[in-house]
Amino acid sequence: MKIQPAPEIHDVVIIGSGAAGGMAAWNLTRQGARVVLLDAGTRFNSARYWSHVRPWEWRQREARGLHPPEFYLSAKEQPYFTPPNQPFELIRVWGRGGKTNVWGRVSLRYSDLNLTEPARDGWEIPWPIRYSDLAPYYDKVEQLIGVNGGTDDQPWLPGSRFHQPPPNPRCGEYLIRRAAHQSGVNIVAGRRAVLTRQLGNHPPCHYCGGCGRGCDIGAFFNSSDYLLEPALLTNRLTILDNAVAARILVDDQGLASGVQYFGRADKQERVIRAKRVVVAASCVDSTRILLNSRSPRYPNGIGNSSDVIGRYLCEQIRFHMYAFLPELMGGPTHNDDGISGEHIYMPRFDPPAGAKKDYLRGYGMQFWGFGAQEGASFSKQLPGFGADLKQAIKKRYPALVALHPYGEVLPRATNRITVEGTPKDAYGVPLARIEYSIGDNERKMAEAMYSTCEEILHNANAEILPYQRGSLDVSGGAIHEHGTCRMGDDPKRSALNKYCQSHEVKNLFVVDGAAFPTSTEKNPTLTILANAWRATDYMAGRMKAGDV
Amino acid sequence: MKTRRDALRVLTASVALPILPVSAAPPAAATGALSPEELAVLARLSDLIIPRTDTPGAADAGVPALIDAAASKKQALASELREGIASLGGSDFLKLAPDEQTAALTRLASTPGGFFQTLKDHVIDAYYSTREGLVTELGYQGSVPLASFPGCTHPEHQRLD
Ligand SMILES: Cc1cc2nc3c(=O)[nH]c(=O)nc-3n(C[C@H](O)[C@H](O)[C@H](O)COP(=O)(O)OP(=O)(O)OC[C@H]3O[C@@H](n4cnc5c(N)ncnc54)[C@H](O)[C@@H]3O)c2cc1C
Ligand code: SF4
């Protein structure tokens, strides 16, 4: 008989390498922990990005048989299921850095008002942390990754003295700011994780507008270049690529003891042992892993005696309005690329005190797509054809503005991810089913969102492209999933404590957006980074003390 | 109650990337879906939608071939184009005087959606993804590295009141 060597037991295994997993790996290794990170994909090769390829060159390249990097995970490889008439668009990137390779880089601090709102309006559980818990981490994250923006403090949007200078606004952005101002709506410098100044060995942005295709010079934060690479330099990080985590294993004491995973290429099952497990596979994938981690001890999924894991999925409602500004129509075309996407932001806007507000929570607004774009698809909505149409398009091309409000969706127990009775993936692991719908609160909020957009555009005397009042993007489109493994002080109503540590399984941490009790109206990644740093600081402290 | 199978639906996540016009995807070299006769009509229709003015028109910019390539990858589009072209009289459309052609297209445009909109959508996506459409016609200057980004330089735009 061959004697098997005892398997190595690592200090920590982390699942996922996006914003959350990258931060956990960086922070834990720098504090001395030996970490193994499982990532479902591989490193994207930025030297091969098509950052600067223009549409006609794109075609020429494809005709030569070349392909741009494929960031997005195909739902053919990893399907998920939704009930009829309840579509949910789940957008995933598997690979080192996850969705941060292509994210929109909007980096907003949550305000204390966001975090205390559930306690004020009584809808579901409050956040167990306050702004003062996050603020020092926001400061540190902004310095680490480079966020440009204003120093201005808004009630719903804290400023920061660590922001790099924001890029100059475009013509349309100034004009929309003025139009909003007329209605008492405040528009401020955006806050975005794009370098306007050199940061360490990361060069500043050169304003090519190619971010959506990946930045070939790494001038915006992505977890792979900014967190994993420095962590690898410590020699305490091992990354296992193409390692698709399936289940968290438990020992006799009910503690997490490792992870079962499958090779994405060879489909072989493997096990890795560790003293602590950090889950950071992005909200939906993390939740699926937790729910699939069933054992006699945890028949409902690891750490899920409370039955809250999988529930309270919350995202944001969103729509888009497009219009043309009279001041810019027929004017010269400028290079409007900038840092790609908006240079401004509308912090959450509530009706003034005393005015009607018939919904809970609120909405903010983004403004990507101003001015000269790499196409003119708006023209399909202009009437007619011929020389008149061609003229009408040219006249409007420099004058395009686009309003994209994001509204908070309330957490509800019935909006949930489950894995019971679903088909299995290629490795035999049950896939996720997502049941998600919005309610009256969101429909009322959408009315207010439409009214605000209309008012701003009317103030601007803008020509608005046809739209259908009340229509919303397919759920999931905001790509800000939260809530399905939430933190809270009450173990009956939450899965994690305020340090993202499982109430039940003390060596298990979940550090991505799944831990957030509410979705807020904001983009979450800056807060995911700050919170993962905070949680892993706590974890490192407990490790040193010998409690986990 | 009858046992009912959970009607599950696989969702193919289609990521709507604003970068790439639909017609820009297929390689121009792909074998086309349309016959030479149909392609000739498509060329004329494309030019009726985006004609040559002091800048190139749709046909100058190679739009018909781009649409044909798209149709060779998408059966539904190919059928719609074929049927639409046939409904306009096929090759006979080319024998009409220009104002008769315009009148025919105006009639077609009066039906919302349908073939006219399909045609227009594809001509627009294709034309404004070519150098002729995007750069020569619209003056696009982007997708190049710059040392700095000037942004708006007009004080009259920057006022708050
Ligand atoms: C187009 C786009 C625009 C966006 N714009 C913004 C924005 O402007 N601002 C903002 O704040 N956010 C934005 N987001 C969202 C942002 O990208 C996410 O909030 C952020 O990346 C979440 O970090 P994460 O670590 O939770 O997940 P991800 O970044 O998705 O990382 C998940 C990681 O887990 C790995 N993984 C998944 N499943 C498994 C498994 N079974 N086993 C092993 N590994 C696994 C993946 O490979 C990946 O490394 C945008 C996203 C997209 C796609
Ligand atoms: S605009 Fe800046 S951040 Fe975006 S791809 Fe270009 S250089 Fe990179």
Side-chain angles (χ1 to χ4, degrees):
Chain A
M1 205 184 99
K2 212 170 131 194
I3 298 170
Q4 296 281 339
E8 186 180 351
I9 302 180
H10 303 275
D11 286 347
V12 180
V13 60
I14 299 173
I15 305 171
S17 69
M23 175 53 79
W26 177 82
N27 192 33
L28 290 171
T29 49
R30 115 196 143 93
Q31 301 196 41
R34 298 205 162 268
V35 173
V36 175
L37 187 149
L38 307 181
D39 188 86
T42 55
R43 189 173 184 196
F44 296 99
N45 181 351
S46 58
R48 298 243 174 95
Y49 288 175
W50 289 22
S51 315
H52 308 245
V53 179
R54 292 169 294 181
W56 58 93
E57 296 161 343
W58 189 285
R59 259 188 315 261
Q60 290 158 358
R61 286 188 178 207
E62 290 201 324
R64 297 206 308 269
L66 303 173
H67 299 286
E70 275 195 34
F71 290 109
Y72 293 97
L73 175 68
S74 153
K76 286 205 185 90
E77 178 180 341
Q78 282 287 326
Y80 58 96
F81 304 95
T82 57
N85 308 319
Q86 246 173 275
F88 190 95
E89 196 174 16
L90 178 63
I91 292 169
R92 289 167 292 182
V93 175
W94 276 12
R96 289 197 203 174
K99 295 192 288 285
T100 64
N101 290 289
V102 288
W103 68 310
R105 312 165 301 286
V106 174
S107 298
L108 310 168
R109 292 181 174 213
Y110 291 6
S111 75
D112 206 41
L113 289 171
N114 286 124
L115 302 174
T116 54
E117 198 161 29
R120 280 198 308 284
D121 64 26
W123 186 277
E124 278 301 333
I125 62 165
W127 283 71
I129 53 172
R130 299 287 299 260
Y131 183 67
S132 54
D133 295 303
L134 285 173
Y137 289 96
Y138 280 138
D139 288 354
K140 292 197 283 187
V141 170
E142 284 161 353
Q143 293 171 79
L144 181 70
I145 73 171
V147 176
N148 72 68
T151 50
D152 53 313
D153 251 317
Q154 307 293 327
W156 287 95
L157 182 64
S160 169
R161 60 194 177 90
F162 299 106
H163 283 154
Q164 293 193 347
N168 296 321
R170 306 162 177 100
C171 299
E173 294 180 316
Y174 275 119
L175 292 166
I176 283 293
R177 183 183 68 151
R178 183 200 301 167
H181 184 74
Q182 282 170 30
S183 290
V185 177
N186 201 12
I187 286 185
V188 301
R191 285 106 159 97
R192 300 187 62 212
V194 177
L195 301 181
T196 52
R197 296 285 181 273
Q198 176 94 21
L199 180 77
N201 55 357
H202 305 295
C205 173
H206 57 217
Y207 310 109
C208 73
C211 313
R213 298 178 285 244
C215 180
D216 58 355
I217 59 164
F220 71 74
F221 165 77
N222 70 78
S223 282
S224 179
D225 291 337
Y226 284 59
L227 297 172
L228 300 179
E229 289 304 308
L232 285 165
L233 294 179
T234 64
N235 288 324
R236 287 187 285 272
L237 176 63
T238 307
I239 301 179
L240 302 182
D241 288 326
N242 283 323
V244 183
R247 296 178 182 88
I248 297 154
L249 307 170
V250 289
D251 65 14
D252 299 342
Q253 281 90 54
L255 290 173
S257 62
V259 177
Q260 174 207 39
Y261 68 97
F262 291 86
R264 194 163 167 199
D266 65 12
K267 306 211 172 11
Q268 289 301 304
E269 180 190 340
R270 295 184 182 84
V271 162
I272 187 135
R273 298 283 169 195
K275 293 181 200 149
R276 298 124 199 130
V277 175
V278 176
V279 184
S282 190
C283 181
V284 175
D285 278 323
S286 288
T287 305
R288 176 182 166 216
I289 294 166
L290 294 164
L291 292 175
N292 275 326
S293 303
R294 287 154 194 261
S295 55
R297 176 91 177 222
Y298 304 112
N300 204 19
I302 190 165
N304 194 24
S305 303
S306 59
D307 191 33
V308 300
I309 297 184
R311 296 184 185 274
Y312 307 104
L313 177 63
C314 48
E315 216 238 355
Q316 286 147 359
I317 51 169
R318 190 176 77 163
F319 61 84
H320 317 275
M321 266 171 88
Y322 300 92
F324 307 100
L325 299 181
E327 287 92 336
L328 305 179
M329 276 206 232
T333 298
H334 301 287
N335 178 347
D336 287 316
D337 282 349
I339 61 170
S340 181
E342 62 269 61
H343 296 181
I344 55 174
Y345 179 72
M346 183 196 86
R348 172 158 158 185
F349 172 70
D350 283 333
K356 177 182 131 186
K357 184 181 177 216
D358 58 357
Y359 56 89
L360 303 179
R361 314 293 164 89
Y363 57 94
M365 198 162 354
Q366 287 183 227
F367 300 91
W368 72 83
F370 272 46
Q373 301 296 301
E374 213 174 51
S377 55
F378 66 79
S379 328
K380 297 171 192 170
Q381 284 177 272
L382 300 179
F385 61 89
D388 290 347
L389 174 66
K390 193 177 174 189
Q391 188 52 37
I393 294 168
K394 185 173 168 67
K395 184 175 162 193
R396 284 164 183 75
Y397 180 66
L400 181 68
V401 294
L403 276 53
H404 315 278
Y406 284 67
E408 174 165 355
V409 174
L410 292 173
R412 296 180 176 88
T414 47
N415 278 346
R416 62 188 299 208
I417 299 166
T418 48
V419 295
E420 282 103 77
T422 54
K424 299 183 166 86
D425 67 10
Y427 322 111
V429 182
L431 291 159
R433 177 201 289 114
I434 302 174
E435 291 165 80
Y436 182 87
S437 54
I438 60 161
D440 268 352
N441 193 64
E442 290 76 24
R443 277 183 280 272
K444 285 181 187 151
M445 192 190 300
E447 284 297 308
M449 290 158 75
Y450 268 101
S451 298
T452 301
C453 291
E454 284 167 350
E455 196 171 319
I456 293 173
L457 292 173
H458 290 154
N459 290 346
N461 291 316
E463 175 188 304
I464 307 178
L465 273 182
Y467 64 96
Q468 211 180 2
R469 216 188 135 99
S471 79
L472 297 168
D473 277 1
V474 174
S475 296
I479 328 182
H480 299 155
E481 311 89 20
H482 299 296
T484 47
C485 185
R486 63 191 189 179
M487 38 178 177
D489 292 328
D490 179 355
K492 291 198 198 64
R493 303 191 70 194
S494 58
L496 310 174
N497 69 15
K498 67 175 184 173
Y499 298 109
C500 295
Q501 179 182 31
S502 164
H503 286 303
E504 273 181 284
V505 185
K506 71 175 188 180
N507 65 345
L508 174 67
F509 291 75
V510 180
V511 298
D512 58 30
F516 291 14
T518 68
S519 74
T520 85
E521 76 287 358
K522 298 197 176 88
N523 317 53
T525 308
L526 184 77
T527 306
I528 293 176
L529 288 162
N531 188 54
W533 191 334
R534 194 183 61 87
T536 48
D537 265 1
Y538 170 82
M539 182 179 170
R542 300 332 298 158
M543 283 166 67
K544 278 172 202 145
D547 318 337
V548 296
Chain B
M1 225 181 96
K2 255 194 294 177
T3 32
R4 190 170 56 88
R5 275 177 113 210
D6 194 3
L8 297 170
R9 195 159 73 84
V10 181
L11 244 182
T12 321
S14 65
V15 183
L17 292 173
I19 340 157
L20 180 65
V22 182
S23 55
T31 353
L34 302 179
S35 69
E37 293 75 24
E38 288 166 332
L39 210 50
V41 179
L42 179 64
R44 182 64 199 131
L45 290 170
S46 303
D47 257 2
L48 283 168
I49 291 175
I50 302 285
R52 181 188 299 170
T53 51
D54 52 348
T55 60
D60 296 326
V63 164
L66 294 176
I67 298 179
D68 192 28
S72 71
K73 294 220 165 164
K74 209 170 147 203
Q75 192 49 49
L77 175 60
S79 324
E80 199 182 348
L81 289 173
R82 269 192 216 107
E83 283 161 27
I85 289 167
S87 77
L88 287 167
S91 293
D92 285 347
F93 182 77
L94 300 175
K95 295 181 192 143
L96 299 177
D99 56 335
E100 291 172 323
Q101 292 176 339
T102 304
L105 205 56
T106 307
R107 276 195 300 281
L108 199 63
S110 66
T111 329
F115 176 55
F116 176 78
Q117 194 62 45
T118 305
L119 191 65
K120 181 169 163 178
D121 288 359
H122 282 84
V123 170
I124 282 172
D125 272 341
Y127 179 70
Y128 294 107
S129 74
T130 62
R131 190 192 279 275
E132 290 83 351
L134 201 51
V135 178
T136 316
E137 164 66 3
L138 294 180
Y140 173 73
Q141 301 150 33
S143 223
V144 291
L146 301 176
S148 65
F149 180 73
C152 172
T153 52
H154 313 92
E156 70 275 20
H157 295 157
Q158 298 175 16
R159 289 185 289 112
L160 247 192
D161 294 296

